[in-house]
Amino acid sequence: MCGIVAYIGPKEAYPLLVKGLQRLEYRGYDSAGVALLNGDIQIYKKKGKVQDLVDFATPLLKKGTTGIGHTRWATHGVPDDINAHPHTSGNGRLVLVHNGIIENYALLKKALEKEGHHFESETDTEVLVHLIEEVQFRENLPVEEAVRIALTRVIGAYAIVVMDREEPGKLVAARKASPLVIGVGKGEYFFASDPTPIIEHTKKVIYLNDEEIAVVHRNGDLQIKKIGNNELQTPFIHELDMEIEALEKSGYDYFMLKEIHEQPTTIADAMRGRMNADEGWVRLGGLEEYQERIVSAQRFIIAACGTSWHSGLIGEYLFEDLARIPVEVEYASELRYRNPIITDKDVVIAISQSGETADTLAAMELAKDKGALVYGIVNVVGSSIARATDAGSYIHAGPEIGVASTKAFTGQVTLLTLMALSLAQKRGTISEARYRELLQELQRIPDKVQKVLEKNAQIEYIAGEMKDRPNALYLGRGYNFPVALEGALKLKEISYIHAEGYPAAEMKHGPIALIDEQMPVIVIATNRSAYDKIVSNIQEVKARRGIVIAIVTEGDQVISKIADHTIEIPDTEEPFTPLLSVIPLQLLSYHIAVMRGCNVDQPRNLAKSVTVE
């Protein structure tokens, strides 16, 4: 969950490292640091945001054309200056940055202490750099070989970059279960946890694979080998399809607000080239490639975490309702530690915005071992899940910088909707007329999302009524129950208000005890199929003096007279309502968080890409 950036080439490294860390700060912002090599190693690190590091280092000499940097999300050791990366070896020769967790660090530390090593920090990372030092010292090895051998003794996940004071013309990097990208420039190399710090310098990148070690030299040489057997690998250079403008706020106060407003475009992008409503077809590359196996699957299992799990729940409704396929939605973090019944007749869908979620990756590998076909739905091109699945689709939402996911959620739901419609047609579970009717309506969704966004001022006013409430309850039925969960999660994530999402009918089974005049209850009340039931639920809340904020369909005449506030969304087919009903909840959470003085893009204790368990 930390962010790594490194550089070797003709330019001054410090400005490149700092700007790269600012691009990666969504991955962690407890502390930050850089190390520069200029004859000796200079290290600057500071608790807090990257800007705190910049303020600290401004008056100091920062020379060197080789350097490594890190922005941290704390695992081992509290966020402070000492635990901040980079970390050095005991002899001061080696310096290292690390993303991941070394699971056997305690055993390694005990063994190294017996050999005379002393540790300053509480981190597992410092243990790793001392281990590399021990191997190098004992066997008098070049740094890359010392790194390779040391990593064969490590259990856990890592992406690392190492500098050696005595071998200043090279950088060494390695990865296992944590992402690392190599940028290939003209006479220069970059390393980063994802391509965002690299894109303004080069569009040529190499995605390092699991258990590979890379050595780049100032003279332009690059070698990639396997950690376990030292076998030389042939690198494949990818061309990035990303523009620098996507990484800027474009006049918005926060990335999250920008990303909310991008959704008419990103939903359309998720559909572009994959459906034609007039001609009546849906084509998803991965789905077409394994069509027979997917269409005949006995069961779908969706594995995901967080917001992606909520989109998976909507997928369950879509697949069962339209395509009549049994679906189970699993928290990936739980699936991987059970002994689940998965067979070669199952299709497992792994959903992750980053494509690097550690639990989802592990659950996916478990499914593959049991013979299931694994289909990935991810946003980040070249990510670990994208490369490890049998088939899959990108959501094409572009970089999502705000830690609280918005456009990636609606992109995931859009892809799941397309899959469900395609499978429904192929399995003959809906008529051709109904299929074409749904395609025509899906094509209109981006314009309808834009109409919801135009209610921003009204939603901001309602946020002002909610901002000081300590709790909130979100209710929904059917397709909109997962949206209630997602709305509650967004409020918790960025405003730190306690919120819970429930199926509306479950309110009577416990949560109703919480309702009083201080409790806002946000009800998603667009369902035609259970409208009268939802009206009854709202009346139950009002009878207990709760504050009702209702998301309703345009022209609603009943709930608008009962609720304290109503937000109208355009009428649409029930399976597509989540793509519209979630938008007001995203905006509501955003405005409440801003009014409470919270950092919307970087909420406390959270990071964008959860690459550790």
Side-chain angles (χ1 to χ4, degrees), residues 135-336:
V135 172
Q136 186 180 49
F137 172 76
R138 292 283 178 191
E139 304 184 37
N140 192 27
L141 296 170
V143 59
E144 62 267 30
E145 188 62 10
V147 170
R148 188 189 70 80
I149 292 172
L151 290 176
T152 64
R153 303 174 186 175
V154 162
I155 299 171
Y158 52 79
I160 62 170
V161 183
V162 185
M163 287 195 312
D164 185 342
R165 184 185 60 204
E166 305 303 317
E167 299 185 66
K170 66 176 74 166
L171 285 175
V172 179
R175 71 153 281 181
K176 180 183 178 182
S178 283
L180 199 60
V181 181
I182 306 171
V184 182
K186 294 181 179 179
E188 59 188 358
Y189 288 103
F190 305 82
F191 289 95
S193 295
D194 67 40
T196 55
I198 295 172
I199 186 64
E200 62 190 285
H201 305 289
T202 179
K203 289 195 172 185
K204 294 180 178 179
V205 300
I206 298 166
Y207 294 99
L208 209 58
N209 292 313
D210 258 6
E211 299 190 350
E212 287 185 343
I213 182 168
V215 186
V216 296
H217 297 260
R218 185 175 294 280
N219 66 10
D221 289 346
L222 178 148
Q223 278 191 332
I224 298 175
K225 295 183 177 181
K226 294 299 288 184
I227 290 170
N229 58 22
N230 217 10
E231 182 181 338
L232 195 64
Q233 305 296 296
T234 302
F236 179 78
I237 297 178
H238 298 255
E239 191 81 15
L240 288 175
D241 182 18
M242 184 190 300
E243 298 301 328
I244 192 67
E245 290 77 14
L247 306 177
E248 306 294 344
K249 291 180 184 175
S250 304
Y252 289 94
D253 291 335
Y254 289 94
F255 280 108
M256 182 182 179
L257 185 61
K258 176 194 174 192
E259 289 156 6
I260 290 172
H261 281 272
E262 285 176 339
Q263 287 174 110
T265 299
T266 56
I267 291 171
D269 286 345
M271 292 189 281
R272 184 169 289 113
R274 291 167 165 165
M275 62 166 276
N276 187 309
D278 294 331
E279 296 178 11
W281 54 259
V282 174
R283 294 182 191 137
L284 295 172
L287 199 62
E288 299 296 315
E289 186 179 356
Y290 288 90
Q291 176 174 311
E292 184 177 342
R293 190 168 173 189
I294 293 174
V295 170
S296 63
Q298 291 184 355
R299 178 180 59 157
F300 280 10
I301 300 170
I302 298 176
C305 301
T307 286
S308 296
W309 187 78
H310 295 156
S311 68
L313 283 178
I314 295 170
E316 178 182 20
Y317 283 88
L318 288 163
F319 289 132
E320 293 191 346
D321 181 17
L322 300 176
R324 308 307 296 156
I325 298 173
V327 180
E328 294 178 17
V329 184
E330 299 272 2
Y331 283 112
S333 54
E334 288 297 312
L335 180 67
R336 63 177 295 194

Side-chain angles (χ1 to χ4, degrees), residues 406-539:
T406 52
K407 64 178 182 176
F409 172 78
T410 50
Q412 291 165 354
V413 173
T414 302
L415 254 294
L416 291 165
T417 303
L418 289 172
M419 284 186 72
L421 286 169
S422 178
L423 289 168
Q425 187 204 36
K426 289 176 171 63
R427 290 167 60 89
T429 51
I430 58 175
S431 69
E432 185 67 19
R434 178 62 174 156
Y435 171 71
R436 285 176 173 266
E437 184 181 9
L438 288 171
L439 284 183
Q440 290 288 346
E441 177 58 17
L442 185 60
Q443 188 172 256
R444 292 189 279 266
I445 289 295
D447 290 337
K448 293 187 176 185
V449 170
Q450 184 59 47
K451 288 184 178 180
V452 181
L453 290 169
E454 291 166 5
K455 299 183 182 293
N456 181 59
Q458 178 198 1
I459 295 166
E460 185 175 5
Y461 173 79
I462 295 170
E465 299 288 297
M466 274 188 66
K467 66 181 176 66
D468 296 321
R469 309 289 178 176
N471 302 287
L473 188 63
Y474 287 69
L475 302 177
R477 280 180 178 262
Y479 280 101
N480 284 305
F481 160 52
V483 178
L485 295 176
E486 175 62 11
L489 177 62
K490 284 292 154 286
L491 191 67
K492 284 184 277 196
E493 283 181 314
I494 64 172
S495 74
Y496 319 137
I497 292 174
H498 173 255
E500 298 294 338
Y502 273 89
E506 287 296 302
M507 180 182 63
K508 295 186 291 295
H509 297 274
I512 198 167
L514 299 171
I515 294 174
D516 60 19
E517 65 274 9
Q518 292 298 314
M519 174 67 84
V521 181
I522 298 88
V523 185
I524 306 159
T526 60
N527 309 56
R528 292 192 190 94
S529 59
Y531 185 81
D532 292 341
K533 300 291 185 184
I534 292 174
V535 170
S536 296
N537 295 141
I538 291 172
Q539 289 171 329

